[in-house]
Amino acid sequence: MVNAIASHGDEIALSDAQSAGAEDWKLAAKRRAEGVGAAMKELVADIRLLQESCSEAAVRAPVDTWVIPSVTLPGYLEQNETVLFAMLRHVEASQRAQHKMDSSRPARARVTMASAYMNLPNALVERLNDLSERGAQVELITADEQSHGFSGATGVKGIIPGLYEKLLENLVKLLHADVRLRRWRVEDWVFHGKGLWISFPGTNPASEKERRTSSNHEAPLDEGVNVSIVTSSNFGFRSFYRDLEAQVLVLTENAELQERLSQEVARLVGNSNSRTKVDTRTTPTTIVHTILASILQRVL
């Protein structure tokens, strides 16, 4: 997949990039734009051919784990979003089934989503709220103010942490009351985690060590993770509608892998604190952040 995408890009030597002037870049962009339609069609064909070959290879032998690649190429392919929403619909169906089996105390699926730059589209917020209302345990993990990728930046970039705090503040107002927001922080580290982990009721239980590790937090991991999305996407407007993003969907019945995925979630949870609202005292937001958030929400 990397080769398929790279074959449709321009190779620019570092020395050329450093010496190129504005007109050089404009000319290169114009050449790319002129051939973008044909190139995108070829790229889409290459990606689909690759996916078909992967599927054919997987069918030839019984397996306990499936790894399914997908790509989002705005205007041409929306596979990542299709896969993501299909998985969330499956969680919803699972919750409905659990309610039918035991409406008094239905087992709960767990959905954990991590994004370094959290600015979720409305359709995704609505889906997560629906899952929470149906009894699924939904939690979102993002950077603490001090672990943000642009924390401490100067100049125009210094506005970015406050901008994302404002976007997060707006998001919290839209979330169902039971959706848990976590802020990741490790001293002197930057949070750039992204991904999705789903635990369905009745899957392989987490290990005793893992349960002890997560026992001090509000959401102990009692089930193994059997669905995960490994992705370049931050699940935001930019990832959905503007950027080229690649991901793989991991579906597994392998008990060892389920436990390792559960441990991955436990580590994220172990380094994060649960919040019910955004604390703007450490990263104050101003009228400038408010205006920029309303203007730029759909491009970030």
Side-chain angles (χ1 to χ4, degrees), residues 28 36 66 104 108 127 146 157-158 166 180 214 234 254-255 258 285:
V36 70
W66 289 76
S104 60
R108 304 177 70 189
R127 177 60 61 183
Q146 304 306 311
K157 291 182 179 180
K166 189 62 185 179
R180 180 177 287 113
S214 59
N234 277 298
N254 183 285
Q258 286 181 358
T285 57

Side-chain angles (χ1 to χ4, degrees), residues 85-226:
F85 281 94
M87 289 299 100
L88 296 181
R89 285 194 298 271
H90 193 59
V91 175
E92 186 175 352
S94 172
Q95 286 302 124
R96 286 200 301 267
Q98 292 296 329
H99 274 279
K100 288 181 180 179
M101 288 189 290
D102 185 353
S103 59
S104 60
R105 294 188 62 187
R108 304 177 70 189
R110 175 176 176 166
V111 177
T112 303
M113 176 176 285
S115 170
Y117 303 101
M118 190 160 284
N119 179 32
L120 308 184
N122 294 338
L124 182 53
V125 173
E126 291 171 5
R127 177 60 61 183
L128 295 173
N129 283 342
D130 288 344
L131 294 180
S132 180
E133 290 174 3
R134 291 189 178 276
Q137 185 175 324
V138 180
E139 57 189 356
L140 307 175
I141 302 175
T142 192
D144 180 90
E145 302 91 329
Q146 304 306 311
S147 297
H148 193 278
F150 289 89
S151 178
T154 58
V156 175
K157 291 182 179 180
I159 299 175
I160 296 176
L163 174 58
Y164 273 97
E165 285 302 299
K166 189 62 185 179
L167 291 171
L168 197 59
E169 185 180 335
N170 295 341
L171 173 63
V172 169
K173 295 175 183 176
L174 300 176
L175 291 173
H176 186 271
D178 290 336
V179 175
R180 180 177 287 113
L181 172 67
R182 294 183 179 277
R183 307 297 298 274
W184 187 97
R185 180 175 182 176
V186 174
E187 199 67 29
D188 297 325
W189 282 64
V190 170
F191 181 77
H192 209 261
K194 52 195 74 176
L196 182 78
W197 299 261
I198 299 175
S199 300
F200 288 101
T203 57
N204 184 55
S207 67
E208 285 297 324
K209 179 180 179 181
E210 185 183 334
R211 282 195 289 269
R212 288 197 300 273
T213 300
S214 59
S215 62
N216 295 327
H217 305 283
E218 301 94 324
L221 298 171
D222 295 324
E223 304 283 355
V225 172
N226 53 352

Side-chain angles (χ1 to χ4, degrees), residues 1-12 32 35-36 38-51 69-74 76-77 79-80 231-233 243-248:
M1 185 175 291
V2 172
N3 290 337
I5 293 171
S7 67
H8 296 279
D10 290 333
E11 184 176 348
I12 301 175
R32 287 196 298 272
V36 70
M40 289 303 98
K41 289 179 182 178
E42 290 178 16
L43 177 55
V44 169
D46 288 345
I47 290 172
R48 286 178 172 158
L49 182 62
L50 173 64
Q51 291 171 329
S70 62
V71 169
T72 282
L73 191 61
Y76 297 90
L77 287 173
Q79 295 177 342
N80 294 351
T231 182
S232 65
S233 171
D243 287 350
L244 169 64
E245 304 281 7
Q247 70 179 31
V248 291

